Amino acid sequence: MKLLLAIISCERDRHCHDVIRDTYLPSVAVIDHRFFLAGKEDDGYHSTYKKNHAIMQWVVDNDYDFVFTCDVDTYIVVPRLLACGFEQHDYMGHRCDEGHAGGGYGYWLSRRAVEILHADPPDGTAAYNDLGIGMKLRDHGILCHDDPGFGNGTITVHLGDSANHTYDPQWMRDYHERHHI
């Protein structure tokens, strides 16, 4: 089974990549990983859907079976991520009230889900990117399988402040050291 860890980032947060490399990324050796950024003019929060389309293109072009997509401020407990049963679902993560997987917590997509999103991508008109992905998959009969381990620290934790779009990479170092993961 070929897996990809796709980390959504931006030019502003490029300095955060080293923190990821120093904390959880060494335990990702069994998974390919890649940081996805957009061009400088399309690199903001409201252009995340373009980065997701690039991820879907990469998965299709490189024949991956599953992709785990997360943000640069998502901490992953890799052994638990790999043992969560994702391979039994097309779309898995922490299901938000609207029915989509919360992007800050990260979510798994199967090849089937990726091919749908690649052929019929969200256009960025949803209030936020992860909602657009969930709506598009729902339109194709795929619902998010909810696992509360995404977001509560069991599998992943979102360290950034979503309301203010703020994140200090030291928070990831601190979390990693505090939890001895």
Side-chain angles (χ1 to χ4, degrees):
M1 183 169 27
K2 193 172 177 185
L3 308 175
L4 175 66
L5 168 60
I7 304 165
I8 298 173
S9 186
C10 62
E11 286 296 327
R12 181 198 71 202
D13 291 338
R14 191 179 280 272
H15 68 284
C16 299
H17 299 184
D18 286 338
V19 175
I20 293 170
R21 289 182 185 103
D22 293 342
T23 56
Y24 71 80
L25 202 55
S27 60
V28 180
V30 298
I31 308 174
D32 292 343
H33 70 277
R34 184 176 174 89
F35 292 91
F36 286 84
L37 293 82
K40 290 188 187 255
E41 67 281 352
D42 288 328
D43 208 28
Y45 175 76
H46 296 290
S47 297
T48 305
Y49 73 97
K50 294 178 183 179
K51 297 172 197 175
N52 267 288
H53 189 64
I55 292 168
M56 302 312 140
Q57 184 70 53
W58 186 266
V59 170
V60 168
D61 289 350
N62 293 281
D63 203 30
Y64 285 95
D65 298 304
F66 288 88
V67 59
F68 184 76
T69 302
C70 65
D71 294 339
V72 73
D73 57 356
T74 305
Y75 186 88
I76 303 170
V77 182
V78 177
R80 294 178 188 157
L81 179 70
L82 295 175
C84 71
F86 66 90
E87 57 277 289
Q88 300 169 27
H89 306 282
D90 287 314
Y91 180 36
M92 180 180 187
H94 171 73
R95 189 174 55 237
C96 297
D97 291 342
E98 301 93 343
H100 68 285
Y105 307 126
Y107 52 87
W108 281 106
L109 295 172
S110 70
R111 175 71 181 213
R112 176 177 172 242
V114 166
E115 288 176 350
I116 289 168
L117 294 169
H118 181 258
D120 188 17
D123 61 7
T125 58
Y128 30 93
N129 180 62
D130 48 5
L131 175 61
I133 287 172
M135 290 168 54
K136 190 62 72 169
L137 289 173
R138 184 192 63 220
D139 291 348
H140 289 272
I142 297 176
L143 302 178
C144 177
H145 175 77
D146 183 39
D147 186 324
F150 290 91
N152 73 6
T154 303
I155 300 171
T156 67
V157 64
H158 184 222
L159 298 170
D161 179 349
S162 297
N164 297 309
H165 302 287
T166 58
Y167 170 65
D168 181 338
Q170 185 60 43
W171 299 344
M172 187 169 291
R173 288 188 198 286
D174 294 346
Y175 188 87
H176 185 74
E177 291 171 14
R178 241 186 351 264
H179 295 281
H180 305 287
I181 300 171

